[in-house]
Structure formats: structure tokens, C-alpha cells
Amino acid sequence: MDIAKFIDHSILKPQTTEKDLEEQIKRCIGLKVYAVCVHPYWVKRAVELAGGGLVVCAVVSFPFGMDTKEQKLFQCLESLERGAKELDIVMNFSALKSGHLPYVREELLAIGRNTEGFVRKVIIESGYLNEEEKKLAVELIAESGMEFVKTSTGFSFPGATEEDVKLLYSASKGRLKVKASGGIRTKEQALRFLSLGAERIGTSATFDILS
């Protein structure tokens, strides 16, 4: 299996420099990685560096998801204007856990209807949610018309787990694709998540996995 075509390479550490960005995107193009994920600040430069050689994905409200829906929507639209083709949007899991479901629903619907035509992945930070909350998150994301549910930002514990990928894949019932992300550092892990139904792998350990 050509794992590279399933990888979203993350360049999201706060200490990332422009030189880091340039070097990593160059390596990703050489390895034929599918996409690179960057903060909104770096989207325009990443698009210039990628030159069509790989997809640029912008993270939105990363990593906590607690910007307002208006702020999130602005981040989405600005990132798309700057050339991003995909969005990894952190769901407001604090609002979800607080029972503010109408707010979470409207936020997802507002983003969904204003970003049609692009690939949207919603990060639920599964390590913070119980099983019922994870299933509820899947329903809300599916209702919003977005394409993916994503396990984690990679900035929380435990990140992607086999149990969560199985649960999200089952709960989605073919309506959403699953992106496994968080703590994936080996080829064996990546292959295992793909075998469980994930269709995209988010990792910053791309070069180790593909070495």
C-alpha cells in the first residue's frame, strides 16, 4: 500500500519557522505526500511552496475549538481565499460537553453551508469525549454536510486510538470519512488505522513513517 497518498503531514508546532516550512514541504512533495496541514498564517506561503505538488489544508480554531462561530467562519473563508483546499476545523467540544447542542449544531451548519466545494474535516478531540458524546458529534457533523470526522488535534492525550477509529467508522455509517490523527508515529500504526476504516492519516512523523 502506498501510505503517502493517505497522509496529511502536520506542520503545526508553534516554534515552526519559515525555513522549517520550506524544508518540510519540499520533502513532502518528493515523497508524494497527499497534503500538508498548516496554521492560517502560513497558508499563503505553503500554497506558493507547494506549487500544486500537494494539497494545502488549513487548521481552524486550533487546537481548542473555542473561538466563536463567527471567528471560525472568518478563519475558514480567509484560509480558502489564500489558497487552502481543505480545512481541519476543531469542533467546540467544550460546548458539546456542556450540552449546548443548538450552538454546536448551528456553528457546524454555518461553516458547512459557507464552504461547500472544499474538503472539511471536523476534529472532535475524542480523548475528551465519552462514547455517547462521540456518537453525538458524528451525528452533528454528518448533519452539517461535511466530509470527515477527525479523532484529535495531536495536542491532547491519547490522540488516535483503535477503539475510537472503529467507533467513528461504525457511527458514521458511510456518511463521513474518518481521519486518524494524534500519536501516529510508525508505519505499522498507520497501516493499522487504515485497515480499521480510516481514509486519512494525520501525523508530524511523516518522514519516519515513509523512511
Side-chain angles (χ1 to χ4, degrees):
M1 178 185 287
D2 182 7
I3 301 176
K5 67 182 182 182
F6 296 98
I7 289 180
D8 287 359
H9 175 65
S10 299
I11 310 177
L12 298 170
K13 293 178 180 177
Q15 69 270 33
T16 296
T17 65
E18 185 170 7
K19 183 179 179 181
D20 295 329
L21 188 77
E22 292 169 353
E23 291 175 348
Q24 292 187 48
I25 288 179
K26 183 177 180 179
R27 292 186 70 182
C28 284
I29 292 172
L31 291 167
K32 301 188 185 305
V33 168
Y34 183 80
V36 62
C37 291
V38 299
H39 288 284
Y41 177 78
W42 286 120
V43 167
K44 186 175 181 180
R45 182 64 180 135
V47 171
E48 292 170 352
L49 293 166
L54 76 169
V55 171
V56 173
C57 172
V59 296
V60 173
S61 195
F62 193 91
F64 301 121
M66 285 187 279
D67 293 305
T68 66
K69 65 183 178 184
E70 291 82 8
Q71 290 170 325
K72 287 185 179 180
L73 182 56
F74 179 83
Q75 285 183 46
C76 288
L77 296 177
E78 184 179 54
S79 293
L80 296 175
E81 288 176 2
R82 290 178 177 226
K85 298 300 182 187
E86 299 193 356
L87 300 167
D88 278 22
I89 306 148
V90 186
M91 185 187 69
N92 192 328
F93 46 86
S94 177
L96 181 77
K97 292 186 71 66
S98 299
H100 303 165
L101 302 187
Y103 183 90
V104 178
R105 176 179 287 109
E106 177 49 36
E107 175 178 279
L108 293 172
L109 287 171
I111 294 172
R113 62 177 171 257
N114 283 285
T115 58
E116 289 183 358
F118 297 90
V119 173
R120 292 78 50 91
K121 311 180 209 103
V122 181
I123 306 169
I124 65 170
E125 205 64 275
S126 52
Y128 293 146
L129 306 182
N130 61 37
E131 183 172 330
E132 181 182 346
E133 290 165 340
K134 291 168 192 173
K135 290 179 178 178
L136 178 56
V138 166
E139 292 304 315
L140 293 172
I141 297 165
E143 181 184 340
S144 72
M146 300 204 224
E147 288 73 29
F148 277 83
V149 56
K150 176 180 171 182
T151 55
S152 172
T153 60
F155 283 71
S156 71
F157 183 82
T161 67
E162 292 187 11
E163 292 74 18
D164 281 339
V165 170
K166 289 177 185 176
L167 173 63
L168 298 178
Y169 179 79
S170 175
S172 292
K173 300 176 182 177
R175 296 169 296 170
L176 297 170
K177 298 175 183 178
V178 177
K179 177 176 174 178
S181 182
I184 303 173
R185 303 206 159 271
T186 68
K187 180 179 181 179
E188 291 71 28
Q189 283 178 298
L191 287 171
R192 179 59 177 161
F193 284 121
L194 291 170
S195 75
L196 294 174
E199 295 192 38
R200 203 76 69 84
I201 299 294
T203 181
S204 61
T206 300
F207 309 130
D208 291 330
I209 291 171
L210 298 179
S211 63

